[in-house]
Amino acid sequence: MNKEERTKNKVKKIRRFLISHRSLFSVLCSLFFVLCSCASTGMNNDSIAIPADIAGLVHAGETRTSEEYALLDRMGASWVLATFYWGRIQRAEDQWNFESYDLYVDTAKAAGKKVLGVLGYDVAWIHDDGKTKKYIPPDKLHYFYEYVRQTAEHFQGRVDAWCIWNEPNFHFWQGSRDEFFVLARGAADALREVDPDVILLGGAFNRGVFGLPKAYIRGLFESGAMEKADGLAFHPYELNPARTAKLYHKFRAIAADYDFADRIWVTEVGYPTGGLYPTKTTEKKFPAFVAKTFVNLAVSGTHTIMWYELFDSQERKRSNSEDFFGLVRSKTDYTSKGAEAFSLCAVHLAGTVYRPDLPQREKLPNSLHTFYFEQPEGEGGTLVLWKKGGGSAKLRLQIPGDSNAVMHNPVSGDAAAISAETIITVRSMPVFVTWQGNHQPVLVKRR
């Protein structure tokens, strides 16, 4: 076997391995780019209104317990996301059963949460060999459209948004791009027949092995599949928060060509704290990754940030990164891994206006990232800071007036009152300061 043949065999083995796991492909592909570009957030220079319902969680609400929903309230989550699997709803052509999803949706609505449902995947009974394939032949698409109609009609007024399929550029769709465009366009038509007012998302793209699937994204628009959609879903999995933000801005630039730049929903984003994925981080760094990613995406104009996911798996197999994405350790152990950092962002950023012109900065190092979020009608403000790279920076923070300023710990969630003028030390872990009233902060580098 010559060198070329050995290389081809290795590529085939790697491809089979990547396709065998849910999101490993999308995160491993980041390795191809880790040395190709400098980290950059591409921050927007304009003020941005942060949606009041920006925060959501994937695979949340599944226990349907008051304990879990009390946690969601503390974390500031407005949305829960679940996949409404076709195979669970229609086990045979003449057999429909919505009972389990009725319980899920009704519990979420009673708790005041919005529901985003993902419509997707196939059923064994449409295939000649009786096996699911994450593919629907053209002559069987009418079955999928009927599932979309029945599901959307059944949950009309209870499910707040639907997304057609999930990560079609990954192994969740095994057909061609053109075949998926036909499915997406037909599914949108079917859904609008029964519910013209519900929010409809298309896309749910992640990145590919050579970067963003630009042809796939553009093809979805140019095929007409997005004509009836309200938003575009995206999963910006990357190696760290700065690269996640950079990937988002590349995606946003494509969406802008179709007037969807301000209609992007991040319906999955996260980092594992174990397993083999190259995007994994340590539990010590995880709260910083959560806070930085949330802040970077919020100031970039995303409509919604849905964190993947709420709980670690009960099994937590050391080699399986999918078991370690949770903000909380498990459904039986509610100790936080990154829930406090998420909560600080969701509670104190939602419904604010990001002001890139503030705070006033005097002789601050370029390595210092500062973000000021203003409450409506001068009710208060939130300041988030962190330092890029190693080391620390000592700053004098001045918040004029009687502001009742508080410094929050994104790891423990503890809060402590601070004076109107105080010295703060900023490192890689973000610093959160909140206050009441219409007071604009000033930051001065301490000599």
Side-chain angles (χ1 to χ4, degrees):
M1 185 181 295
N2 60 35
K3 183 177 180 180
E4 183 178 355
E5 289 173 334
R6 287 197 301 271
T7 301
K8 288 182 178 179
N9 284 338
K10 286 181 180 179
V11 171
K12 288 179 180 178
K13 289 179 180 179
I14 292 171
R15 186 177 183 276
R16 286 197 298 269
F17 177 69
L18 295 178
I19 291 175
S20 69
H21 216 291
R22 182 188 177 279
S23 59
L24 187 55
F25 174 81
S26 61
V27 293
L28 280 179
C29 67
S30 303
L31 291 178
F32 287 90
F33 302 91
V34 68
L35 298 176
C36 297
S37 61
C38 298
S40 171
T41 58
M43 296 304 174
N44 196 311
N45 292 322
D46 300 324
S47 294
I48 293 177
I50 310 299
D53 61 348
I54 190 172
L57 288 161
V58 179
H59 299 163
E62 293 179 349
T63 68
R64 303 196 303 273
T65 61
S66 58
E67 183 180 16
E68 181 178 348
Y69 276 101
L71 172 64
L72 293 177
D73 286 341
R74 291 195 300 273
M75 292 176 65
S78 297
W79 289 88
V80 293
L81 181 151
T83 300
F84 285 61
Y85 292 98
W86 182 12
R88 294 182 187 177
I89 289 173
Q90 190 183 14
R91 298 189 182 277
E93 184 175 354
D94 57 352
Q95 183 180 348
W96 297 88
N97 189 339
F98 296 101
E99 184 176 354
S100 64
Y101 289 110
D102 279 328
L103 290 171
Y104 174 84
V105 171
D106 290 345
T107 304
K109 301 308 289 182
K113 304 304 176 189
K114 297 181 178 181
V115 177
L116 170 58
V118 177
L119 297 164
Y121 314 131
D122 60 336
V123 289
W125 52 266
I126 67 170
H127 300 293
D128 294 337
D129 59 3
K131 297 179 181 179
T132 58
K133 307 176 187 301
K134 291 191 172 64
Y135 170 69
I136 304 171
D139 62 333
K140 303 294 178 64
L141 280 174
H142 63 96
Y143 289 117
F144 182 77
Y145 299 154
E146 185 60 21
Y147 144 73
V148 171
R149 287 189 197 93
Q150 292 283 349
T151 305
E153 185 172 36
H154 182 85
F155 290 103
Q156 187 172 11
R158 292 189 289 159
V159 168
D160 302 271
W162 294 106
C163 184
I164 297 171
W165 216 263
N166 174 58
E167 298 181 355
N169 63 302
F170 183 40
H171 82 273
F172 287 97
W173 173 252
Q174 293 296 304
S176 69
R177 289 200 302 256
D178 288 339
E179 287 176 313
F180 180 76
F181 300 154
V182 173
L183 178 148
R185 185 170 59 248
D189 290 341
L191 188 146
R192 288 302 187 206
E193 287 176 16
V194 297
D195 195 343
D197 300 319
V198 72
I199 297 170
L200 176 59
L201 307 180
F205 293 108
N206 63 4
R207 64 170 300 160
V209 68
F210 297 114
L212 285 175
K214 297 178 182 178
Y216 222 134
I217 299 166
R218 293 187 181 280
L220 191 69
F221 282 101
E222 292 166 11
S223 68
M226 291 293 292
E227 288 181 359
K228 296 182 179 180
D230 302 293
L232 179 64
F234 184 42
H235 301 169
Y237 289 108
E238 253 291 3
L239 297 178
N240 56 54
R243 291 181 63 87
T244 295
K246 186 172 184 179
L247 179 64
Y248 177 87
H249 279 271
K250 289 181 178 179
F251 183 83
R252 190 178 189 273
I254 298 173
D257 290 340
Y258 305 94
D259 296 324
F260 267 73
D262 298 323
R263 291 191 276 172
I264 299 172
W265 292 47
V266 172
T267 54
E268 284 187 27
V269 67
Y271 312 87
T273 56
L276 301 178
Y277 289 7
T279 57
K280 75 175 181 180
T281 187
T282 63
E283 287 199 8
K284 183 177 181 180
K285 294 180 179 179
F286 186 55
F289 272 43
V290 173
K292 291 176 181 179
T293 297
F294 197 114
V295 170
N296 283 341
L297 291 174
V299 302
S300 298
T302 186
H303 184 279
T304 306
I305 301 170
M306 298 194 186
W307 198 266
Y308 185 86
E309 55 190 329
L310 178 56
F311 293 112
D312 273 0
S313 169
Q314 296 289 108
E315 300 175 354
R316 287 170 63 97
K317 296 178 181 178
R318 291 185 61 185
S319 62
N320 186 5
S321 286
E322 287 293 322
D323 291 347
F324 294 91
F325 273 92
L327 294 169
V328 176
R329 294 195 187 284
S330 75
K331 295 176 182 178
T332 56
D333 178 2
Y334 273 45
T335 57
S336 171
K337 286 169 52 189
E340 305 301 338
F342 181 91
S343 177
L344 281 175
C345 294
V347 171
H348 294 291
L349 271 57
T352 65
V353 174
Y354 166 57
R355 293 280 305 275
D357 57 314
L358 295 173
Q360 299 178 41
R361 299 162 56 100
E362 297 181 15
K363 300 179 180 179
L364 298 186
N366 292 331
S367 59
L368 189 69
H369 291 263
T370 63
F371 305 87
Y372 172 56
F373 301 89
E374 194 170 67
Q375 295 284 351
E377 300 179 2
E379 295 176 1
T382 298
L383 181 64
V384 186
L385 310 93
W386 67 78
K387 187 177 182 300
K388 177 183 173 183
S392 62
K394 285 189 176 295
L395 308 173
R396 180 181 292 109
L397 172 62
Q398 301 169 343
I399 305 175
D402 184 12
S403 60
N404 295 318
V406 175
M407 183 174 291
H408 304 266
N409 187 318
V411 179
S412 67
D414 294 339
I418 60 174
S419 60
E421 181 171 334
T422 188
I423 301 299
I424 60 174
T425 300
V426 182
R427 298 184 176 89
S428 178
M429 181 65 68
V431 173
F432 278 78
V433 180
T434 61
W435 60 90
Q436 299 174 2
N438 186 19
H439 308 293
Q440 296 181 352
V442 178
L443 282 172
V444 182
K445 183 179 179 180
R446 189 184 183 193
R447 295 181 181 274

